[in-house]
Amino acid sequence: MNAVEVDHLSMTYRVPVRDGGLLAATRAVVRRQHRDVRAVRDLSFGIPAGQVVGFLGRNGAGKTTTLKILAGILHPTGGAVRVLGEIPWRRHNHYLREIALIRGSQPIGDAPELTVMDSFHYQQVLYDVDDVDFKRNLAELSELLELDDILQRQVRALSLGERMRAGLALALVYRPKVLFLDEPTIGLDVSAARTIRTFIAEYSARTGATVLLTSHAMADVESLCPRLILVDDGALAFDGRRDELGSLFAPAKLIRVTVADNDPDLTPYGEVLQGDGHQYLLRVGRDAVPATTAELLARFAVADLSVEEPSLESVMDQAYRSLRGPKDLAS
């Protein structure tokens, strides 16, 4: 059984609309007009237990709406969802103890006068975690996230990175089996973001937790998610391995070559992206890479040559441009 099962999920919001101006505002008091906004459209996928999956799409694609449905915050207008065999929006207590929705924009901080340890003890009571499990889980989280130095400090005295690490540990102290992560590294510096990514990978490996992660930071996705689900306008656009996404939406590879020749003309071999007289970066169609590398080695005095996949950021840009035209991207 999949830990997460989404079957033809749909979510439509009914939102009020009106023209600008005082007269239109007055009319809206008497007769309000609405329109339907489809946030999720016939979306289906499954995630086996223990898998870490990237859930990607541009702003407004339906990612956060889907996560909120999976966490039981929203009730969908169509389709079926099961998480650990449960229907999320029934919000049974035993279900809520098995999942966590963690949003990067919401670090620890609801009670800034409390110490971090006070917040953990409150979470222990709220989720009915016995003392033995609480101490074991807190010790493990403190080790992975380096929390020992901040446990006795007030929340208001923490830096943003410290608050994010503490907030992540707070959400996991009851050891949920499924994590829904919404931009977990947003706003963090490079070191703090790397710490969070390392922790997520180690937490999933140690506990067998299933992770569905949304992020616009491609470093998060590249380091954590071998499988990607791409949604566009609320509908499924891609579900597969990360390398398959590159093959589908970015039909070129990069050849990085260093030659002894002085200012050679490499334009017949591909699109020259960079070049300084000896070191060049070429963009070459995937099917032409073997022949191109053979020609370069035969024609020039090659000191070094490597073939690279385009960055995930570049692939995602190409995917968005393929799914929607330039006019849509500009709007």
Side-chain angles (χ1 to χ4, degrees), residues 54-128:
F55 192 49
L56 306 181
R58 70 183 78 225
N59 291 331
K63 305 184 302 297
T64 298
T65 296
T66 302
L67 291 190
K68 287 182 176 179
I69 292 172
L70 294 173
I73 297 173
L74 295 177
H75 192 299
T77 52
V81 172
R82 293 274 181 175
V83 179
L84 300 174
E86 297 283 337
I87 297 175
W89 48 90
R90 290 181 177 173
R91 296 186 63 79
H92 293 149
N93 286 339
H94 64 270
Y95 171 72
L96 297 178
R97 292 192 184 103
E98 300 288 349
I99 64 108
L101 172 61
I102 302 171
R103 304 192 66 183
S105 58
Q106 297 176 347
I108 188 174
D110 290 340
E113 298 302 319
L114 295 180
T115 66
V116 174
M117 183 59 82
D118 290 335
S119 298
F120 278 114
H121 281 305
Y122 175 77
Q123 196 82 331
Q124 177 190 8
V125 173
L126 185 64
Y127 284 89
D128 193 24

Side-chain angles (χ1 to χ4, degrees), residues 254-273:
L254 304 177
I255 296 179
R256 196 177 298 275
V257 60
T258 303
V259 296
D261 309 65
N262 190 32
D263 290 326
D265 181 15
L266 298 186
T267 54
Y269 303 96
E271 180 184 356
V272 180
L273 302 179

